[in-house]
């Protein structure tokens, strides 16, 4: 009975894993094909099923009819990382305040302020495109990295606040009280006691910020022209009258790589540092 | 170290409500420097509220808190220099045991050498020396509670140490050790300690003064012996002591109140009307004895059980049931017995309050 259960369990895991991994394998295989290799039916194994070629990869690094991916890559890293860091810092501070201190302006209370943050993500992005465009244009920041960073902060901050408020609400208040009793002022309490215990929350919020920032196409597309191209836009620009599946596959793998790496690194923090046991 | 005075202090968690519900009824209380106190009472009686007001975690809705005559009611927790240990151990998970113990001193900016010396001393005292370099989160619950306590003790100038049921998570053997340790620390350092508990044994063995609370009110405060011998109310008599004190229903008879089934009674003090109010006759099961001089208590044994080496007899006489705690009486359930009680051990309670000095 137990063996059967285990067998079924592993079968389910195996099926699900292949479902998740298959697109990557498919992309990997496709990235080494040529036009012939793609159109001549389903083939999987290089050298056996089809003759591998580096055409797709070459087109990412300045090959014929391709792009140079380094520029957009660097832009994406700069914009995503700086926007995420700023959002995380501001968002964590805001979230601690919202979690621990009582704010009140008329009928507006803490919960309403928290909701106000997240409500910005409820709007369809298209509604924001025009105002953002006009604002950046007025400020002379259209098609520049700082302009994009500002817009991305506006997009990522609600996520950081939302995740961290929820996290801080689950950090026992006794920890704050104990720090006060030990002689900390509110800032010391936050920096020395609460923050070191909040690594898992910071990792989750940071991951969300990086993923959302990295994957955004819409604002990267609407607020830039040629000077500051971000990675998703650059990848789309590969497309032409004949879809270059090989180049797109290679680009897709290149753009997913840092997120995969990040997920593996973050996973270690998440499983190690849960907060259970700070009190008790 | 400081004398703590609570002046006309009261607290309500909803001060704006049309009808005020007090978690703590208005009270005046002085805690002398270097003494041990226990706040005893059932859950929700206002004990923790009182502690949190003293440490500044809660602002009282009425009254003042004075440390050595200085008004600290509006002061932040960190300025009051109070140590408090919560029911569940609170530790800084990201730090080692040594860093945990040093934290209050680091916050106060003491020189490093001094901090190291103090941490060493406190770790020695609490038996944590071998764990100093270990991450605090890896220790057991009672060791963590020792760390919480240690963070309170590490400050030499601490105003008072407030212990909010700190021994709940600790196993019984360790509990005893820890209580002893706390007493030693109190004697050595002369620091005021207030222990909140709902365990009467803990209160009675730890503190020189026990304060019994109920419904946000101080019912009685005094030395443990006094609370046991002369409970001011039926509530205290029932709450302290095991088994609880006997309170027997009485009827009026010629200026006296008597338990009809036992023929036992006391004169009502002058100025009191024996005919109005509900009167009971109270005595401790421990004060009943098997033979010797005293007033007789006759009845039939309904039940017998043991508490430690002592026997508790539940005796019925007509409608009346009382309990007696004896060393080892050779009796069986269902037998008739004649027990005795010294008349000066009897006291009258009117509407739950002790009346007069007792027998005269």
């Amino acid at each position: 009975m137990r063996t059967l259960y285990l067998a079924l369990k592993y079968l389910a895991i195996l099926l699900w894993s292949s479902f998740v991994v298959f697109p990557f394998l498919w992309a990997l295989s496709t990235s080494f094909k040529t036009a012939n290799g793609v159109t001549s039916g389903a083939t999987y194994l290089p050298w056996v099923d089809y003759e591998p070629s580096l055409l797709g990869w070459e087109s990412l690094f300045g090959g014929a009819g391709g792009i140079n991916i380094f520029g957009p890559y660097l832009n994406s890293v700069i914009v995503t990382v700086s926007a995420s860091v700023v959002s995380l810092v501001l968002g964590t501070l805001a979230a601690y305040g919202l979690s621990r201190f009582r704010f009140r302006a008329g009928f507006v209370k803490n919960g309403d302020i928290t909701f106000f943050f997240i409500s910005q993500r409820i709007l369809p992005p298209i509604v924001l495109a025009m105002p953002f465009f006009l604002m950046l244009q007025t400020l002379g920041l259209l098609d520049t990295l700082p302009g994009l960073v500002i817009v991305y902060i506006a997009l990522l901050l609600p996520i950081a606040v939302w995740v961290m408020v929820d996290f801080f609400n689950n950090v026992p208040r006794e920890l704050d009280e104990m720090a006060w009793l030990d002689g900390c002022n509110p800032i010391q309490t936050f920096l020395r006691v609460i923050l070191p215990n909040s690594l898992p929350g910071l990792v989750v919020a940071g991951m969300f910020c990086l993923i959302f920032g990295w994957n955004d196409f819409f604002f990267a597309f609407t607020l830039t022209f040629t000077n500051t191209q971000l990675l998703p836009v650059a990848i789309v620009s590969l497309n032409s009258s004949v879809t270059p599946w090989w180049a797109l596959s290679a680009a897709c793998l290149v753009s997913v790589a840092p997120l995969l790496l990040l997920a593996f690194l973050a996973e270690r923090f998440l499983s190690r540092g849960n907060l259970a046991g700070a009190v008790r | 170290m400081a004398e703590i005075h609570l002046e006309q202090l009261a607290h309500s968690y909803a001060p704006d409500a049309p009808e005020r519900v007090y978690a703590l009824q208005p009270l005046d209380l002085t805690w002398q420097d270097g003494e041990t106190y226990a706040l005893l009472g059932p859950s929700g009686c206002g004990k923790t509220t009182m502690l949190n007001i003293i440490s500044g975690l809660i602002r009282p809705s009425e009254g003042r808190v004075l440390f050595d005559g200085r008004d600290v009611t509006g002061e932040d927790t960190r300025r009051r220099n109070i140590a408090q240990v919560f029911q569940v151990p609170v530790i800084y998970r990201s730090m080692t045991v040594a860093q945990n113990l040093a934290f209050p001193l680091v916050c106060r900016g003491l020189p490093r050498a001094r901090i190291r010396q103090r941490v060493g001393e406190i770790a020695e005292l609490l038996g944590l020396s071998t764990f100093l370099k270990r991450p605090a989160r890896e220790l057991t619950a009672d060791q963590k509670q020792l760390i919480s306590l240690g963070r309170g003790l590490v400050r030499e100038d601490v105003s008072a140490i407030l212990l909010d049921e700190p021994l709940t998570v600790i196993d019984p053997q360790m509990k005893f050790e820890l209580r002893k340790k706390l007493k030693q620390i109190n004697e050595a350092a002369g620091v005021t300690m207030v222990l909140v508990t709902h365990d009467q044994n803990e209160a009675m063995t730890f503190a020189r003064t026990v304060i019994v609370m109920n419904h946000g009110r101080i019912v009685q405060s005094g030395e443990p012996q006094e609370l046991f011998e002369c409970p001011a109310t039926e509530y205290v008599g029932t709450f302290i002591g095991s088994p609880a004190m006997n309170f027997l229903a009485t009827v009026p008879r010629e200026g006296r109140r008597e338990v009809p089934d036992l023929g036992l009674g006391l004169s009502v003090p002058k100025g009191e009307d024996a005919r109005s109010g509900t009167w009971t006759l109270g005595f401790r099961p421990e004060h009943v004895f098997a033979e010797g001089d005293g007033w007789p208590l006759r009845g039939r044994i309904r039940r017998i059980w043991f508490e430690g080496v002592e026997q508790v007899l539940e005796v019925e006489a007509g409608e009346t049931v009382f309990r007696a705690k004896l060393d080892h009486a050779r009796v069986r359930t269902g037998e008739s017995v004649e027990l005795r009680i010294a008349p000066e051990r009897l006291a009258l309670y009117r509407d739950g309050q002790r009346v007069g000095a007792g027998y005269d």
Side-chain angles (χ1 to χ4, degrees), chain A residues 91-258:
Chain A
T92 305
L93 288 167
Y96 183 68
L98 284 170
S99 163
R100 288 301 194 265
F101 304 104
R102 226 181 284 172
F103 298 99
R104 204 171 167 176
F107 65 93
V108 180
K109 293 184 190 150
N110 283 32
D112 306 313
I113 301 170
T114 314
F115 182 74
F116 165 76
F117 274 104
I118 201 67
S119 68
Q120 306 181 40
R121 292 303 315 228
I122 294 172
L123 283 179
I126 194 103
V127 176
L128 294 170
M130 209 37 128
F132 273 147
F133 189 92
L134 293 175
M135 279 195 281
L136 291 192
Q137 193 181 35
T138 315
L139 295 168
L141 290 172
L142 210 55
D143 203 15
T144 63
L145 287 181
L148 281 175
V149 170
I150 292 172
V151 170
Y152 276 46
I153 289 172
L155 296 177
L156 301 182
L157 194 60
I159 300 171
V161 171
W162 190 255
V163 171
M164 290 315 289
V165 164
D166 193 50
F167 185 83
F168 286 138
N169 282 343
N170 286 311
V171 172
R173 241 158 226 280
E174 282 90 345
L175 214 52
D176 299 65
E177 293 180 347
M178 191 45 91
W180 303 339
L181 285 161
D182 283 344
C184 287
N185 61 34
I187 292 170
Q188 284 174 317
T189 304
F190 175 69
L191 290 179
R192 288 182 162 183
V193 174
I194 302 301
L195 214 49
N197 275 309
S198 304
L199 201 59
L202 291 172
V203 169
V204 172
M207 282 286 290
F208 273 132
C209 287
L210 288 171
I211 291 171
F212 276 98
W214 187 259
N215 286 343
D216 174 74
F217 171 75
F218 183 74
F219 290 104
F221 184 66
T222 47
L223 302 176
T224 59
F225 308 114
T226 48
N227 287 339
T228 51
Q229 216 178 22
L230 297 193
L231 190 60
V233 180
I235 293 174
V236 170
S237 77
L238 280 170
N239 222 338
S240 59
S241 53
V242 181
T243 310
W245 292 108
W246 43 94
L248 286 176
S249 298
C252 151
L253 289 174
V254 165
S255 74
V256 165

Side-chain angles (χ1 to χ4, degrees), chain A residues 27-47:
Chain A
L28 190 66
S29 152
T30 307
S31 72
F32 288 106
K33 290 179 183 175
T34 55
N36 281 338
V38 174
T39 48
S40 60
T43 52
Y44 305 99
L45 302 170
W47 288 293

Side-chain angles (χ1 to χ4, degrees), chain B residues 72-93:
Chain B
V72 297
T73 319
E75 256 181 29
D76 278 348
T77 299
R78 68 195 164 101
R79 294 193 199 285
R80 299 194 188 190
N81 203 8
I82 289 269
Q84 193 168 353
V85 181
F86 298 120
Q87 187 168 1
V88 287
V90 181
I91 53 146
Y92 305 126
R93 281 173 54 84

Side-chain angles (χ1 to χ4, degrees), chain A residues 11 51 69 125 150 225 233 256 269 275-276:
Chain A
L11 186 67
E51 198 54 37
I69 206 168
I150 292 172
F225 308 114
V233 180
V256 165
F269 284 103
L275 200 79

Side-chain angles (χ1 to χ4, degrees), chain B residues 67-319:
Chain B
F67 285 9
D68 282 334
R70 183 170 61 93
D71 187 353
V72 297
T73 319
E75 256 181 29
D76 278 348
T77 299
R78 68 195 164 101
R79 294 193 199 285
R80 299 194 188 190
N81 203 8
I82 289 269
Q84 193 168 353
V85 181
F86 298 120
Q87 187 168 1
V88 287
V90 181
I91 53 146
Y92 305 126
R93 281 173 54 84
S94 51
M95 303 182 194
T96 63
V97 174
Q99 285 168 334
N100 261 278
L101 292 177
F103 193 66
L105 302 180
V106 173
C107 286
R108 284 178 171 71
L110 259 70
R112 271 204 190 162
R114 183 83 192 108
I115 293 177
R116 198 169 306 142
Q117 186 198 344
R118 275 303 284 172
V119 168
E121 284 169 21
I122 294 301
E124 187 72 44
L125 182 75
L126 295 173
L128 289 170
S129 299
T130 48
F131 303 108
L132 280 177
K133 292 211 160 60
R134 291 263 299 275
R137 62 171 180 274
E138 288 177 5
L139 271 59
T140 63
D142 33 344
Q143 287 168 330
K144 284 181 188 168
Q145 192 63 306
L146 284 178
I147 298 177
S148 293
L149 185 63
R151 281 204 314 269
L153 297 173
V154 77
R155 284 174 267 166
E156 284 165 292
D157 58 341
V158 70
S159 303
I161 299 182
L162 311 180
L163 306 152
D164 191 354
E165 305 194 30
L167 306 177
T168 321
V169 289
I170 289 169
D171 74 77
Q173 177 54 30
M174 188 73 188
K175 235 180 217 183
F176 178 76
E177 286 292 318
L178 209 55
R179 216 151 53 202
K180 213 166 70 184
K181 216 161 247 178
L182 285 173
K183 283 284 256 192
Q184 283 171 1
I185 292 162
N186 168 258
E187 277 154 26
V191 53
T192 316
M193 286 190 183
V194 182
L195 175 73
V196 159
T197 178
H198 54 248
D199 178 347
Q200 48 157 324
N201 287 322
E202 208 167 281
M204 304 289 262
T205 51
F206 173 79
R208 191 167 303 180
T209 308
V210 176
I211 297 157
V212 183
M213 294 184 67
N214 196 20
H215 299 309
R217 205 186 288 278
I218 294 177
V219 186
Q220 189 176 7
S221 96
E223 291 179 17
Q225 195 63 21
E226 187 188 331
L227 294 191
F228 184 80
E229 303 276 349
C230 304
T233 66
E234 283 186 18
Y235 173 78
V236 177
T238 317
F239 197 74
I240 290 177
S242 172
M245 192 162 165
N246 295 302
F247 291 100
L248 309 181
T250 60
V251 293
R253 180 171 298 166
E254 296 160 11
R256 285 161 60 82
R257 297 287 307 196
E258 279 192 5
V259 182
D261 297 315
L262 291 170
L264 201 65
L266 288 178
S267 310
V268 169
K270 282 198 185 82
E272 296 276 357
D273 181 7
R275 302 196 163 270
S276 73
T278 310
W279 294 72
T280 56
L281 185 71
F283 60 93
R284 287 269 173 208
E286 287 84 353
H287 292 151
V288 178
F289 48 94
E291 40 205 57
D293 289 340
W295 292 359
L297 298 163
R298 291 189 195 89
R300 196 180 64 86
I301 300 175
R302 207 159 76 157
R303 211 150 66 92
I304 303 177
W305 70 92
F306 282 90
E307 286 196 0
V309 293
E310 287 169 313
Q311 249 176 341
V312 180
L313 313 183
E314 195 171 83
V315 182
E316 64 180 352
E319 301 276 286

Side-chain angles (χ1 to χ4, degrees), chain B residues 341-353:
Chain B
I341 181 141
E344 64 271 19
R345 296 296 198 183
L346 299 172
L348 279 177
Y349 289 79
R350 181 187 167 170
D351 299 328
Q353 302 282 329

